[in-house]
Amino acid sequence: MATAQAEKREGDISDAFASLSGMQFKPLDPRFAEMKQKLVSGNEEALHASWNRLLASLREEIPLIREQKSKIIPEIDFKDLDAASPEFRNEHKKRGVAVIRNVLPEQEVLDLKRELREYIAANPHTKAFPPENPQVYELYWSPAQIKARSHPNLIKAQRFLMEFWHSKDPNALVSGSHPTIYADRLRMRLPGDARFALGPHVDGGSCERWEPNGYGKGNVYDAIWSGNWEAYDPWESSSRLPVTSDLYQGVGACSMFRMFQGWLAMSNTGPFEGTLLVNPLLSRATAYFLLRPFFSPKNPIEVPQDSTAPFPDSYPDPSNWHLDLSASNSWLQGATPGHGQELRHALHPHLNLPETMVHMPRVRPGDFVSWHCDTIHAVDSVHAGKTDSSVLYIPSCPLSVGNAEYLARQRAAFLAGTPSTDFGGGKGESEHVGRPGVEDVENVDKEEGLRAFGLKRWDEGAEGLSAGQREVLKRANGILGFD
Ligand SMILES: [Fe+2]
């Protein structure tokens, strides 16, 4: 079995982001200035040239988004997954986001939502954020979540998405063809709510993306540090395997390798109705927020951190920005140790976030929405709709050695009814009435469903596996105690 991990403090979703707990962004510890110098040492000129090319590329791409808004997000129907069009494939690769329609039948999902409400009603002590008017429940093991996560259609959708990733090392111990579950929360947002107003952010750690013992362990962003941002490939998986995305015991930081975050819609919800916004610039946006801390404006402008007002043209102009590796520049804009990476128009002026954060198109119960793990995303600041805006967060996670180790710990949490180790301690749902067990997974899918939960042996003898896949299935079986 996997080694035990230190238990995190108990928390809710407001602990995960600095701005939700009312903090302001500020320069970090001086060691971060030194770290930045080392990261790009010897490549300073190339870095500056790369930054200028990136700003030019952003100036070209942003008008496309401004024009197309939500229509820029590629869509596909579940029934077409086996014959996805080249247009869908190309756009998904470029954008990193997708809507898969009709993954579960609408009525089935409405039944799940009803069951979920019954579970909450039967367990009135369920924790939630904010406590006085719950929008995000501290629920991980409700009947709806268990049934959705193990549903064969959902697992098929995850496999389809994860097969967009590839590995430069054919023997890498990772397989997107073998989805594993990550027990995340759910949202049931009510009209009028303005508390769960999560601005633009990226999951999967913050400072860790720059740190040598974080993402540096896999050299994930080396092309960006060396001054060749165009060579950075967001879909390469082997570089992500050694990554530590949580160096500071952040509550809610995901320690699994999650190729995509995603949700299953449980309501009919359109733009401004408490839904998700995404930034479809994927590799350009990643390169930008990673390079931003290395550059400073020659003529700075004082604006409040939450300002969304346009800047005068002279401010973002490339001629106004210089490479700033001074010891006093310890900023990693939007990053705070122990909290998720956030983005702000005032801190990230060239992304033009007020225009490039686009709403998800209208979704119906049973649609599945997915975004790449480096995608900048946000939640409507106010829910101006008339009905609930409800989703089950269901990321897509491949099988890897690290994920199998997490799966083993998570399986123990499932059996005990406690939140899995990423989400803080506490008794969770251990005393909840009507909490599902192994047989409920079995009832939905005896094969892939049980395997995704770590409850059944992987078939390492199956035909058509690559050497790397066969080996990772074998190791996972050992970790999960199926030797
Ligand atoms: Fe997020």
Side-chain angles (χ1 to χ4, degrees):
M1 293 294 286
T3 48
Q5 204 195 30
E7 200 177 79
K8 291 181 181 180
R9 65 185 189 277
E10 238 178 292
D12 63 31
I13 195 159
S14 68
D15 294 303
F17 291 93
S19 67
L20 273 185
S21 33
M23 288 159 68
Q24 283 274 309
F25 301 107
K26 48 182 192 292
L28 305 179
D29 186 278
R31 78 176 168 92
F32 286 100
E34 216 175 295
M35 185 193 76
K36 285 196 286 178
Q37 287 166 2
K38 283 200 194 122
L39 209 47
V40 301
S41 171
N43 295 322
E44 291 84 352
E45 253 175 64
L47 195 80
H48 201 167
S50 177
W51 163 260
N52 282 336
R53 292 196 306 277
L54 176 64
L55 297 191
S57 175
L58 286 170
R59 276 199 307 276
E60 258 172 47
E61 286 287 326
I62 288 173
L64 298 176
I65 299 172
R66 186 186 299 137
E67 218 169 89
Q68 296 199 51
K69 300 197 175 69
S70 302
K71 286 203 284 279
I72 210 153
I73 299 168
E75 292 188 19
I76 186 168
D77 197 276
F78 179 73
K79 67 174 170 12
D80 299 325
L81 289 192
D82 293 329
S85 69
E87 292 76 22
F88 174 85
R89 291 188 164 277
N90 292 340
E91 279 304 294
H92 184 233
K93 274 223 126 149
K94 181 169 181 187
R95 302 295 171 201
V97 287
V99 183
I100 307 182
R101 301 287 185 187
N102 305 305
V103 172
L104 263 68
E106 181 159 350
Q107 191 52 51
E108 210 173 314
V109 175
L110 293 174
D111 290 344
L112 291 182
K113 188 161 73 172
R114 182 179 40 76
E115 268 186 274
L116 179 60
R117 288 200 166 115
E118 287 164 7
Y119 184 69
I120 294 169
N123 298 286
H125 51 290
T126 299
K127 279 177 47 179
F129 171 85
E132 68 283 2
N133 180 22
Q135 313 291 327
V136 180
Y137 288 89
E138 292 301 307
L139 286 176
Y140 303 89
W141 308 116
S142 70
Q145 287 163 303
I146 299 300
K147 288 179 187 172
R149 286 176 199 143
S150 47
H151 199 288
N153 291 13
L154 205 125
I155 292 177
K156 178 172 176 164
Q158 291 174 319
R159 183 179 296 129
F160 169 78
L161 291 165
M162 290 197 287
E163 287 175 348
F164 278 80
W165 285 71
H166 66 94
S167 172
K168 60 181 191 286
D169 169 7
N171 294 315
L173 298 179
V174 57
S175 174
S177 307
H178 297 86
T180 54
I181 70 141
Y182 181 72
D184 208 333
R185 303 181 175 93
L186 59 92
R187 133 163 83 79
M188 284 182 102
R189 213 173 164 199
L190 301 173
D193 171 62
R195 280 293 301 280
F196 181 47
L198 191 48
H201 68 279
V202 185
D203 298 327
S206 56
C207 309
E208 290 87 348
R209 284 195 164 79
W210 289 268
E211 295 196 75
N213 56 344
Y215 283 69
K217 280 181 169 173
N219 305 312
V220 177
Y221 303 119
D222 273 13
I224 296 172
W225 311 139
S226 66
N228 188 11
W229 76 266
E230 296 90 339
Y232 160 62
D233 178 2
W235 302 96
E236 204 289 315
S237 58
S238 65
S239 60
R240 307 255 173 177
L241 299 177
V243 161
T244 300
S245 58
D246 176 22
L247 290 168
Y248 304 95
Q249 289 284 302
V251 171
C254 176
S255 47
M256 250 173 118
F257 169 28
R258 181 164 63 171
M259 287 179 164
F260 302 91
Q261 176 57 295
W263 46 247
L264 180 73
M266 291 195 294
S267 55
N268 185 330
T269 301
F272 304 103
E273 297 177 358
T275 193
L276 176 80
L277 294 94
V278 290
N279 185 300
L281 285 164
L282 189 60
S283 61
R284 287 170 182 81
T286 307
Y288 178 78
F289 82 76
L290 292 177
L291 288 177
R292 169 67 184 88
F294 297 87
F295 295 87
S296 296
K298 293 175 188 165
N299 298 304
I301 295 183
E302 279 300 319
V303 288
Q305 285 192 358
D306 56 357
S307 166
T308 54
F311 291 107
D313 287 348
S314 58
Y315 181 67
D317 195 89
S319 63
N320 188 36
W321 293 75
H322 70 105
L323 182 64
D324 179 4
L325 293 170
S326 59
S328 59
N329 181 13
S330 60
W331 271 97
L332 293 177
Q333 280 80 2
T336 313
H339 299 273
Q341 173 70 38
E342 300 194 60
L343 293 101
R344 291 291 178 272
H345 181 53
L347 300 174
H348 301 97
H350 301 92
L351 283 181
N352 199 352
L353 293 168
E355 292 191 315
T356 58
M357 295 300 295
V358 300
H359 278 100
M360 275 297 135
R362 177 165 292 280
V363 290
R364 302 182 64 86
D367 292 344
F368 185 63
V369 160
S370 156
W371 62 100
H372 184 285
C373 50
D374 285 346
T375 296
I376 303 169
H377 56 288
V379 182
D380 265 330
S381 53
V382 179
H383 176 356
K386 294 196 167 50
T387 56
D388 67 291
S389 153
S390 306
V391 305
L392 302 177
Y393 292 107
I394 305 184
S396 298
C397 302
L399 186 64
S400 66
V401 172
N403 282 3
E405 284 166 354
Y406 190 86
L407 210 54
R409 295 196 290 274
Q410 183 176 251
R411 177 178 60 186
F414 170 48
L415 299 176
T418 51
S420 74
T421 48
D422 274 350
F423 295 92
K427 62 182 178 175
E429 293 155 79
S430 57
E431 292 162 13
H432 273 43
V433 177
R435 180 168 57 83
V438 176
E439 64 287 357
D440 296 271
V441 180
E442 206 164 12
N443 287 341
V444 182
D445 186 342
K446 282 186 196 29
E447 301 293 326
E448 300 305 299
L450 279 178
R451 288 197 179 100
F453 272 77
L455 291 163
K456 187 183 172 109
R457 189 186 175 85
W458 299 92
D459 183 6
E460 60 198 69
E463 271 174 45
L465 296 176
S466 71
Q469 283 179 321
R470 204 175 299 287
E471 182 61 20
V472 74
L473 295 184
K474 194 169 149 232
R475 295 225 198 149
N477 282 334
I479 291 163
L480 290 159
F482 296 127
D483 276 336

